[in-house]
Amino acid sequence: TSIFSVANWDTSKDVKYRLRYSLDKKKHSYEGVIREEPTDRALTFGGLTCQHAMGFPYRPLVENLDKSNPDMLYFSGDQLYEGNGGYPIKRQPEEKAILNYLGKWYMFGWAFGDVLRNRPSVCTPDDHDVYQGNLWGEGGEGISFEEWEKVRDAHGGLVQTPNFVNVVNQTQCGHMPDAYDTTPLKSGMTTWYTELVYGKVSFAIVSDRLFKSGPEMVREGAGRIDHLTAPAKEGELEAETLSFMGQRQLDFLENWVTDWKGANMKVLLSQTLFSNVGTHHGPTKEFLFGDLDSGGWPKSKRDKVVETIRKACAFHINGDQHLPFMVQYSVNEPRDGGWTFCTPAISTGYPRWGQPDSVNVPYTDRPAHALPNTGCYRDGFGNVNDIYAVGNPTDDFDEEFDRYQKAQKKASGCGKVTFDTTARTIKMEAIRFLANLDVDSEENTYPGWPLTIQQSDNDGRRPIGYLPKLEVEAANQLLKIVNEDTKELVHAMRIKGNSYTPSVYEQGKYTLVIGEGGKEKTISGIEITIDPKKVISI
């Protein structure tokens, strides 16, 4: 694995590159294009996750990805599974375990190398990448293989050695910007959570499992204590000592929502969505009220993250679930959070379904399209999730089909998101594994897609009033609103154009900070007004 950087890169034009190297006394070359950064048009984004070898080498999907021609790619996790390659995992000794991993990792390169060579990518490891079926990282602390075997269904921590995990981090994340905080974890494991600004979009790239607490912190017993077979009682699964993303990453996000240099829009990239919207899972299609491996728990710490990112109207993209979803989050009331797009799995192994209707889970506010299994549902952890669309597998995928037909029936595919950084809109598309993109057909996508939302839809709070309208001489200025009583940031976003009417969510006085880069103007003592003619000119 070779990592190098080129300083002062000119992003305004396409640049061909050629990498030459020698291997086994033969000379080879690897060629591609470093693309012009799309700063004067919409940014197209390919979202991919979970590549089980059942569908390898995923040729129809890879060809569709090439045809759709995204500007950048995001592989959100499970770039490999333990069984990929047809040989078992080797956990120890360390050197052989690393070689064992690399063989499976190279399969990812064989499958996607032709699209990776010509566009930038973000790649983040998840549980299977570090040889675990579920992962509660407990702050990156490792445990011995013997300890893990005793409590493999429930225990937090990473079973593989820190050096093994660091190899995974380097091979998958080494090309990304430097970590926000490069201080290693107590175990010696490296970190990779970071920010990337590309095409006028600011991406926060985080690990939603590395710092997460395990279920044994709140539930006793043996077996699948991570499976919720009855709805949790209020406070049953809560404790002050629980962690969701960890304080380090929360500090990063608090800083990220205020830093808009070079960006018109904000997007959070993580491994899984922050809710439990799947209802059935596994070969026997077992119903669960919740799964502690999901991002819906611990709820109070999850709520803090949703509250933080909505301050910047940040959109959320993730994967992991083997099931495409479009969901709007809730914290205190339905739909007061932002939107998330959980992309389809590249190739689904373990099946899941989102079918609350089939077990009569109560819902409200079904969208106008009236698709089944949509609307506001309460999950087993108490999160109210407004499900706009879900792409379920069929129930006959176990019959005799070839691997690509089986991938199609198991709801495999990829996601595409178009960020119009001028109009400030976000278009979500879910492309089926066997889609024929040469033909405009509803068969290419899942019910409910595509959907276009506004950037502002990612803060669903209902305002109690509005501050005076701002008229700004210089267009597209950064605006921050701070509550003077609590000193908390209420809102941070780049104004679209020259005027904006700020909304607020409680009575009080507010400070407005307009501008950035040492050229800010601060106005204090601003209160809610009911005079539509009242204007602050800047």
Side-chain angles (χ1 to χ4, degrees):
T1 300
S2 180
I3 298 173
F4 58 92
S5 62
V6 180
N8 303 315
W9 186 262
D10 181 1
T11 66
S12 65
K13 58 187 177 182
D14 288 353
V15 177
K16 294 181 179 180
Y17 68 86
R18 177 174 62 205
L19 177 68
R20 285 177 160 173
Y21 60 99
S22 296
L23 184 66
D24 296 334
K25 299 181 180 180
K26 292 182 180 180
K27 292 185 177 180
H28 304 268
S29 64
Y30 182 89
E31 300 182 10
V33 175
I34 299 174
R35 294 185 170 199
E36 171 191 357
E37 185 176 353
T39 56
D40 58 355
R41 60 172 176 82
L43 173 73
T44 56
F45 176 103
L48 302 109
T49 190
C50 300
Q51 39 198 293
H52 192 279
M54 181 275 294
F56 182 82
Y58 330 114
R59 180 175 174 177
L61 182 144
V62 174
E63 290 177 349
N64 280 331
L65 196 62
D66 205 29
K67 288 177 183 177
S68 62
N69 194 28
D71 295 306
M72 65 179 293
L73 301 174
Y74 174 44
F75 294 89
S76 63
D78 295 345
Q79 281 66 251
L80 57 90
Y81 282 84
E82 293 87 336
N84 285 13
Y87 56 92
I89 61 171
K90 181 176 284 293
R91 295 192 176 276
Q92 51 188 337
E94 184 180 86
E95 288 187 4
K96 289 188 176 181
I98 289 170
L99 288 174
N100 184 267
Y101 158 78
L102 289 172
K104 299 175 190 293
W105 167 243
Y106 293 152
M107 292 178 67
F108 166 65
W110 293 339
F112 290 97
D114 283 342
V115 290
L116 285 166
R117 73 172 71 225
N118 293 323
R119 49 184 57 79
S121 64
V122 173
C123 186
T124 59
D126 200 8
D127 48 0
H128 291 284
D129 297 291
V130 293
Y131 286 8
Q132 291 190 222
N134 284 327
L135 176 59
W136 299 278
E138 300 281 12
E141 291 304 302
I143 60 174
S144 70
F145 180 53
E146 289 74 17
E147 288 176 301
W148 181 79
E149 276 200 311
K150 294 176 183 176
V151 286
R152 70 171 69 220
D153 290 333
H155 201 288
L158 287 87
V159 60
Q160 296 302 126
T161 64
N163 282 340
F164 178 99
V165 176
N166 289 347
V167 168
V168 175
N169 291 347
Q170 179 168 328
T171 52
Q172 301 205 18
C173 310
H175 65 291
M176 298 194 318
D178 290 341
Y180 176 78
D181 180 354
T182 59
T183 306
L185 304 175
K186 287 188 293 184
S187 62
M189 293 176 188
T190 55
T191 62
W192 45 261
Y193 60 93
T194 187
E195 177 188 14
L196 169 68
V197 178
Y198 190 74
K200 293 187 177 179
V201 179
S202 168
F203 297 95
I205 308 164
V206 299
S207 172
D208 55 23
R209 289 196 164 103
L210 185 59
F211 296 89
K212 186 176 177 178
S213 299
E216 80 285 350
M217 296 285 289
V218 290
R219 306 190 87 190
E220 297 180 350
R224 297 308 300 262
I225 63 171
D226 53 322
H227 284 178
L228 209 62
T229 55
K233 298 176 183 177
E234 187 174 352
E236 177 185 2
L237 300 178
E238 290 293 329
E240 189 58 37
T241 54
L242 293 176
S243 174
F244 183 57
M245 274 198 191
Q247 191 59 48
R248 287 176 57 164
Q249 289 192 126
L250 194 57
D251 291 343
F252 161 58
L253 290 176
E254 294 278 7
N255 178 75
W256 172 72
V257 297
T258 67
D259 182 3
W260 286 74
K261 184 178 180 181
N264 286 358
M265 303 177 80
K266 290 274 186 183
V267 178
L268 176 67
L269 303 179
S270 76
Q271 289 67 63
T272 194
L273 78 169
F274 301 156
S275 294
N276 192 105
V277 288
T279 56
H280 299 75
H281 76 115
T284 60
K285 202 173 179 180
E286 177 188 358
F287 171 73
L288 289 177
F289 284 96
D291 184 349
L292 276 75
D293 183 51
S294 76
W297 173 86
K299 177 173 167 47
S300 61
K301 304 299 175 70
R302 167 264 189 200
D303 287 352
K304 178 62 177 176
V305 173
V306 174
E307 289 172 342
T308 300
I309 64 175
R310 75 180 175 187
K311 295 175 184 178
C313 293
F315 181 61
H316 183 204
I317 302 175
N318 51 78
D320 170 66
Q321 290 294 294
H322 307 174
L323 195 58
F325 276 105
M326 288 189 290
V327 177
Q328 187 172 10
Y329 293 133
S330 305
V331 180
N332 297 313
E333 62 180 13
R335 296 183 296 275
D336 65 353
W339 281 76
T340 185
F341 180 17
C342 179
T343 64
I346 293 167
S347 175
T348 298
Y350 190 81
R352 290 189 180 90
W353 293 259
Q355 294 181 333
D357 288 359
S358 68
V359 286
N360 298 316
V361 175
Y363 72 90
T364 58
D365 300 332
R366 184 148 286 177
H369 56 50
L371 291 169
N373 304 303
T374 63
C376 277
Y377 289 91
R378 187 180 183 90
D379 69 23
F381 301 114
N383 304 299
V384 176
N385 309 305
D386 187 40
I387 302 170
Y388 185 86
V390 56
N392 278 303
T394 64
D395 288 337
D396 63 346
F397 54 74
D398 278 334
E399 297 177 13
E400 292 299 319
F401 298 104
D402 69 41
R403 66 187 188 280
Y404 289 166
Q405 289 175 317
K406 185 170 290 191
Q408 171 91 347
K409 286 180 171 291
K410 295 179 81 170
S412 305
C414 63
K416 181 180 178 182
V417 184
T418 303
F419 298 102
D420 189 326
T421 54
T422 301
R424 310 288 180 86
T425 60
I426 302 164
K427 181 181 179 181
M428 294 168 270
E429 301 175 70
I431 302 170
R432 291 184 185 270
F433 190 92
L434 290 177
N436 181 2
L437 297 187
D438 295 326
V439 178
D440 185 10
S441 170
E442 292 183 358
E443 298 298 316
N444 288 337
T445 189
Y446 291 89
W449 282 266
L451 174 68
T452 299
I453 64 172
Q454 298 290 321
Q455 175 185 22
S456 56
D457 291 335
N458 290 297
D459 184 349
R461 290 175 288 181
R462 290 190 296 177
I464 67 161
Y466 298 88
L467 304 182
K469 183 178 181 180
L470 301 179
E471 295 284 359
V472 186
E473 182 178 359
N476 303 325
Q477 291 295 306
L478 175 61
L479 168 67
K480 300 175 188 175
I481 304 173
V482 178
N483 185 311
E484 292 182 3
D485 290 331
T486 65
K487 311 302 180 186
E488 290 185 356
L489 177 73
V490 177
H491 192 57
M493 194 173 76
R494 190 172 299 285
I495 294 172
K496 178 185 173 185
N498 297 85
S499 65
Y500 182 70
T501 302
S503 55
V504 292
Y505 312 99
E506 57 184 313
Q507 295 284 352
K509 294 184 178 181
Y510 294 87
T511 295
L512 309 183
V513 182
I514 302 99
E516 59 193 315
K519 299 179 179 179
E520 297 89 352
K521 182 168 184 177
T522 301
I523 307 172
S524 300
I526 307 301
E527 296 182 88
I528 291 173
T529 181
I530 58 173
D531 182 359
K533 296 181 180 179
K534 191 169 185 179
V535 172
I536 298 175
S537 297
I538 302 166

